[in-house]
Amino acid sequence: MATWSNLNLQNSTSPLMEQLTFFHDHALLILLMITILVAYIMISLFFNQFTHRYLLEGQMIEVIWTILPAITLIFIALPSLRLLYLLDESMDPLLTIKTIGHQWYWSYEYTDFLTPYEFDSYMIPYNESDFNGFRLLDVDNRTILPMLTQIRMLITAADVLHSWTIPALGVKVDATPGRLNQTSFFINRPGLFYGQCSEICGTNHSFMPIVLESVNTKTFIEWMNFNLNN
């Protein structure tokens, strides 16, 4: 998760977030090269004592500074388009979960089983949280998901616009009343992954966090059996 000393992106926990991180670094490197080149040219102009009194046009330099930006944009656009289609690619999910945004909490429905399992997830107040807990980020009921499994998340809202966001997964989907949005992801390691509502939805917008707990398949099945039988 993000901490006060982390100025970079969060560590990725899905293949798509890894690709987003690679593209971020790729675009940042190109931006750095352009910045250095432009800074060098500007400094050279400031300290250049020579002038060309009869220079009216320079077709060659105009062609160069038109072609070079076009080539640069191609090097940015091709990976960007590839990643855009990868993000929209739909795969056959092994597990489908429905998420509903409320003012101001999230509810989850595991509907793939004979007996659907539903629960609400509220933020733990600061005065009730553990000493080592994360302030305003932990919840009373975490969303347990199996790792190394293709998961589909159906997202909607019961009242106003919300946004279900997990930065480590590279997932940000609007929860719209009367509409069912869909996203899919693949968690490639165990752990706790935190998120928050990313759409201003009212006075307690800052107090409806999201916590995903990634476990192995055996632990997930045992957790589901326990909840379905109780």
Side-chain angles (χ1 to χ4, degrees):
M1 63 171 294
T3 59
W4 65 271
S5 60
N6 185 11
L7 301 179
N8 298 315
L9 298 173
Q10 294 186 26
N11 292 331
S12 60
T13 187
S14 69
L16 288 178
M17 187 58 193
E18 290 179 1
Q19 294 298 317
L20 285 170
T21 304
F22 293 154
F23 176 71
H24 168 269
D25 297 341
H26 170 76
L28 202 62
L29 181 61
I30 293 177
L31 181 62
L32 180 64
M33 293 169 59
I34 294 173
T35 303
I36 293 174
L37 177 62
V38 172
Y40 171 75
I41 294 174
M42 291 182 66
I43 293 173
S44 299
L45 289 175
F46 279 127
F47 292 98
N48 184 17
Q49 298 178 354
F50 299 99
T51 58
H52 197 308
R53 291 190 302 166
Y54 304 107
L55 179 63
L56 298 178
E57 62 177 350
Q59 292 186 355
M60 179 59 67
I61 191 65
E62 289 181 4
V63 169
I64 292 174
W65 71 41
T66 302
I67 293 178
L68 282 183
I71 296 174
T72 304
L73 289 176
I74 290 174
F75 275 98
I76 296 176
L78 292 180
S80 175
L81 290 174
R82 170 182 170 273
L83 186 54
L84 183 65
Y85 282 102
L86 279 177
L87 290 172
D88 285 337
E89 185 177 358
S90 59
M91 300 182 182
D92 295 331
L94 295 177
L95 179 66
T96 299
I97 301 171
K98 185 177 180 181
T99 302
I100 305 173
H102 304 265
Q103 289 182 313
W104 287 269
Y105 65 96
W106 297 96
S107 62
Y108 298 90
E109 300 177 5
Y110 292 72
T111 57
D112 284 349
F113 306 95
L114 294 177
T115 304
Y117 175 57
E118 305 176 9
F119 63 90
D120 297 331
S121 181
Y122 288 88
M123 184 195 75
I124 298 177
Y126 180 63
N127 57 351
E128 298 178 10
S129 61
D130 296 334
F131 178 74
N132 294 324
F134 294 110
R135 177 178 176 270
L136 305 183
L137 277 180
D138 220 338
V139 296
D140 54 358
N141 290 314
R142 293 170 177 170
T143 308
I144 310 297
L145 296 175
M147 65 179 184
L148 304 179
T149 302
Q150 192 67 35
I151 298 169
R152 175 172 58 187
M153 191 69 72
L154 303 177
I155 301 163
T156 187
D159 34 49
V160 298
L161 282 175
H162 300 277
S163 184
W164 196 81
T165 307
I166 304 289
L169 291 174
V171 172
K172 183 179 184 294
V173 183
D174 286 340
T176 308
R179 180 183 177 125
L180 205 60
N181 291 327
Q182 172 181 307
T183 187
S184 62
F185 50 84
F186 183 90
I187 304 175
N188 54 20
R189 61 187 173 94
L192 289 175
F193 309 109
Y194 295 86
Q196 290 177 300
C197 177
S198 299
E199 186 73 38
I200 297 177
C201 56
T203 55
N204 288 337
H205 158 69
S206 302
F207 306 109
M208 49 183 302
I210 306 161
V211 181
L212 296 186
E213 184 173 352
S214 174
V215 298
N216 58 53
T217 306
K218 180 182 177 182
T219 304
F220 173 75
I221 294 174
E222 292 175 352
W223 177 79
M224 282 302 306
N225 286 332
F226 175 80
N227 288 288
L228 293 176
N229 294 328
N230 291 279

